[in-house]
Amino acid sequence: MEDMYLDKKIEIENIKDRLENLFPELFVFYYDFNNDSPNELDSNNPNHIFFNTSYNKEKLEFGYVISIYRTPDQDHQERALFIAKAFSDFFEVRILVPYTNPDKPNDPYYDIIFENSKVFLADDCDTNFGDDTDGLVKILKEYPLKITPFDKRAKLILE
């Protein structure tokens, strides 16, 4: 599962289209968990994925969430970064993805933020986003993150 946190809403159909563009061998469905699942969604078919969205109006920033389900279990953090970068560039939206910093793997407050085709390392400790206080997410620095490519079925491409 991949979660991405956005500063603005993207329409359901646009999310679906972009995911289908990124992973053309997968069938993408929207499923909000409030109604029956889409008739065509086959939980036994590994090529069927789905997503849902939510909005938390209490968040000062990054209150719109896209969650993607049924992608391969392996490489989920790398896939989330790949998708978020593609969405940020295409829709021109600021997107946050929780991140495990290799230099400090036990620190849960790191994030990657994609904005204006740039990548930033951020800290959400003592923020409205991270722990419901009143601060904003802190940009620490521009970050030289290598975005790993994925194939048409959302599997990591090994170089």
Side-chain angles (χ1 to χ4, degrees):
M1 181 174 97
E2 292 78 33
D3 287 320
M4 302 179 298
Y5 301 84
L6 294 76
D7 258 357
K8 70 177 185 181
K9 180 180 180 179
I10 298 174
E11 296 299 323
I12 301 294
E13 201 55 42
N14 292 337
I15 296 168
K16 182 179 184 301
D17 290 347
R18 193 70 195 140
L19 286 171
E20 288 172 341
N21 182 272
L22 290 173
F23 309 120
E25 292 185 9
L26 298 179
F27 296 91
V28 180
F29 301 92
Y30 174 72
Y31 179 23
D32 64 7
F33 297 129
N34 292 325
N35 299 307
D36 292 335
S37 68
N39 290 335
E40 302 84 17
L41 177 60
D42 179 357
S43 61
N44 293 316
N45 186 333
N47 294 326
H48 285 204
I49 66 171
F50 67 90
F51 71 94
N52 63 19
T53 62
S54 61
Y55 177 67
N56 184 342
K57 66 181 178 180
E58 303 300 318
K59 297 296 180 189
L60 299 174
E61 56 185 346
F62 304 111
Y64 186 71
V65 183
I66 300 172
S67 298
I68 305 166
Y69 302 89
R70 296 189 33 83
T71 52
D73 289 335
Q74 293 179 317
D75 310 308
H76 66 92
Q77 178 172 275
E78 293 84 357
R79 187 178 306 99
L81 295 167
F82 172 79
I83 296 168
K85 172 86 169 91
F87 273 51
S88 178
D89 291 349
F90 188 82
F91 294 111
E92 298 179 347
V93 60
R94 192 166 74 128
I95 300 179
L96 179 147
V97 176
Y99 180 66
T100 301
N101 186 337
D103 297 331
K104 297 181 181 179
N106 295 321
D107 189 335
Y109 295 104
Y110 283 108
D111 305 290
I112 294 295
I113 294 177
F114 297 98
E115 181 176 21
N116 297 325
S117 298
K118 293 184 180 179
V119 180
F120 299 97
L121 182 65
D123 180 348
D124 66 31
C125 184
D126 296 326
T127 66
N128 176 262
F129 175 82
D131 41 31
D132 295 326
T133 58
D134 58 357
L136 297 177
V137 174
K138 298 169 212 71
I139 299 287
L140 300 175
K141 62 182 177 180
E142 196 164 344
Y143 195 63
L145 181 69
K146 181 182 178 210
I147 302 298
T148 310
F150 284 78
D151 70 11
K152 295 176 181 183
R153 289 189 174 192
K155 293 186 180 176
L156 182 71
I157 296 174
L158 299 175
E159 296 178 17

